[in-house]
Amino acid sequence: VIDATEKIVCPSFVDLHVHFRDPGQTYKEDIESGSKAAVAGGYTTVVCMPNTQPALDDVPLIRYVIERGEEVGLCRVLPAGAITKGRKGRELTEMALLKDAGAVYFTDDGAPVMDSFIMRKAMEYAGSIGSFVADHCEDLNLSQNGVAHEGEIAAALGLPPLPPEAEDTMVARDCVLSIQTGMPVHICHISSRLAVEIVAWAKAMGAKVTAEVTPHHLYLTDEEFLDFSCVAKVSPPLRTHEDIEATRWALASGIIDFVATDHAPHAHHEKMQDLQVCPPGMLGLQFALPIVLELVKKDYMDLTRLVEVMSTNPAKKIGLRPPQIKVGETAEFTIFDPFETWEVNEDTILSKSKNTPLLGRKLTGKVKYTFYNGKIVYKD
Ligand code: NCD
Ligand code: ZN
Ligand code: ZN
Ligand code: ZN
């Protein structure tokens, strides 16, 4: 018997954007450690990005992720296929074959800007086989060697600035290409106020554009650089209070379709390197619920919308039946305590890597149980 007094029972969460580093960089995370962090965050479906080593650009690699995920058995681990071979931005992969093998969408996430011609061809190919492409949306020609959002903090700390138009121009380009081709495009980790306005405009034009936002872009600002060095570095960069406010309202109102964590584990020694060379990215799977719950408490949205943005909407986006609260073999839900406070630390983080500016801080909202395939896969 499970006592759910004063707890909330809801469909478990679906994250369309995680980096499990498997194969190739399993010292940062692997499918097993990533799955453990996922179910502890209330997730039972995750989509792994293809920026592994090698990149997920052929059928055996797509099959590997699915089969390894099933072997671990804690949650549904699905792969996103690379758009281009080796994620080099030149030659399209055999998307139709990758889709048949189980790739749920296509992205070169993390790779340098893809030129507009390749992006249009990719949109048309993916759209024609009933799939879609997702774009990282940062123009490296504009961001140069920037590490922090261009603004007061970067200026005060003397950090190389990264202007928001590096993101805005790519979001605008992708929206235009989507309108012109009539094909879908998904904007990864949207973070700037203007990019949100552009997506709102594209949607008003009838474009098949969807967008996701990360927990960190809903919650943290570039002020994190005051206390953290590389641990605060992420692409796109943490921005300002105004940007956070814009993404929160956009998520509440439907301009942004769902939350995706962009869970990006990196090892301690990598994050200790010089700010210029250290890899961008931070963890997300265990922090999404408390952060979105805070938006409910602050009255940006209600719990129904929380379920939409954390579960139903991302599930539908990849054609998955949304998780079901029920008994029996298909039970797939999570039970959380909306008022329990816990500390983020090396012990509570279940990922192999511990890279997050939330280390040492307290969050409110704790997953107590996660059910997948009718079984308990996580118990607090
Ligand atoms: C991601 C990673 O580490 O793979 N890093 C990041 O800062 N977001 C890559 C990505 O999502 O673009
Ligand atoms: Zn990205
Ligand atoms: Zn402030
Ligand atoms: Zn990513």
Side-chain angles (χ1 to χ4, degrees), residues 17 19 21 51 109-110 136 189 233-236 262 264 266 280-281:
H17 190 150
H19 297 270
R21 315 296 189 202
N51 66 334
D109 186 42
H136 173 93
H189 41 50
K233 181 178 169 185
V234 62
S235 309
D262 193 14
H266 291 292

Side-chain angles (χ1 to χ4, degrees), residues 153-160:
I153 300 286
L157 297 177
L159 302 176

